Amino acid sequence: MTSKIQIVNATEAHLQGILDIFNYAVKETFAVWTEREDTMNDRRAWMHNLHANNYACIVALDIQNKVLGYGAYGPFRNKSGYDISVEHSVYVSPTAQGQGIGNVIMKELIQRAINDSRLERMIAAIDAGNPASIKLHEKFGFETQGLLKGVAKKWNEDRDLQLMIKDIKSRSN
Ligand SMILES: CC(C)(COP(=O)(O)OP(=O)(O)OC[C@H]1O[C@@H](n2cnc3c(N)ncnc32)[C@H](O)[C@@H]1OP(=O)(O)O)[C@@H](O)C(=O)NCCC(=O)NCCS
């Protein structure tokens, strides 16, 4: 399956696919802590901002160029001292999960971050009740360095934030 997957930089042509995957996560999961769906303009601004600052915004496509998943990284926090760190996200379409696509996207994001001489750390901020994402990050060498309990609510439920970090300063994968 993954041998037929192509990873490319996200463009306007991929925005609807990205939007659909993100909004599914908003409506159906705790992966993202908002109940407000994004609009096409939200996603367009997000993508343009990442590209304009030379951050990664990539999609995984099938042979018909359908978006099966996406990954991106951008600033962790916006004070200049944090410029060595990026926060990333990986989302796979619900119908394409469990087939290795998250692996492929994560590998590419890490490689791009390693190739970016500005960067020393990658940070994932994950719902502590999301074992698929936590396992995926462990598999790629991310280490849990923080658990912030009850920092958010979704659908009136308290949520805990697990912070996972990968040191990429050594430039090895
Ligand atoms: C997390 C997510 C990106 C994983 O993508 P995926 O394509 O389903 O994952 P893959 O099939 O490539 O599996 C990669 C690894 O993830 C982990 N994993 C994936 N699904 C898992 C599950 N249901 N339970 C436990 N671990 C799981 C495993 O470590 C797996 O490696 P392995 O196959 O060697 O065991 C995907 O489930 C997703 O998009 N979830 C909704 C959005 C989300 O939670 N994003 C992360 C926000 S921080």
Side-chain angles (χ1 to χ4, degrees), residues 7-11 15 18 21-22 42-51 54-60 67 69-76 85-92 101-102 104-113 116 118-119 121-125 136-137 142:
I7 300 279
V8 299
N9 286 329
T11 67
L15 281 177
I18 292 172
I21 293 170
F22 179 80
D42 293 330
R43 278 292 124 178
R44 185 174 289 115
W46 166 83
M47 181 184 76
H48 285 191
N49 193 37
L50 293 176
H51 286 328
N54 289 320
Y55 290 124
C57 185
I58 57 177
V59 286
V67 178
Y70 70 90
Y73 60 68
F76 172 56
S85 296
V86 282
E87 181 177 343
H88 66 278
S89 53
V90 180
Y91 283 78
V92 174
I101 297 164
V104 176
I105 296 171
M106 183 65 83
K107 197 167 174 217
E108 178 70 17
L109 280 184
I110 292 170
Q111 196 52 56
R112 287 185 183 219
D116 185 337
R118 296 174 297 180
L119 303 181
R121 303 274 189 276
M122 293 181 78
I123 299 169
L136 173 68
H137 283 87
F142 284 78

Side-chain angles (χ1 to χ4, degrees), residues 155-172:
W155 300 317
N156 220 25
E157 255 189 55
D158 285 349
R159 306 308 301 173
D160 300 341
L161 186 69
Q162 186 158 339
L163 294 170
M164 299 186 75
I165 297 184
K166 184 175 173 73
D167 182 350
I168 53 165
K169 206 173 169 183
S170 65
R171 306 284 158 217
S172 63

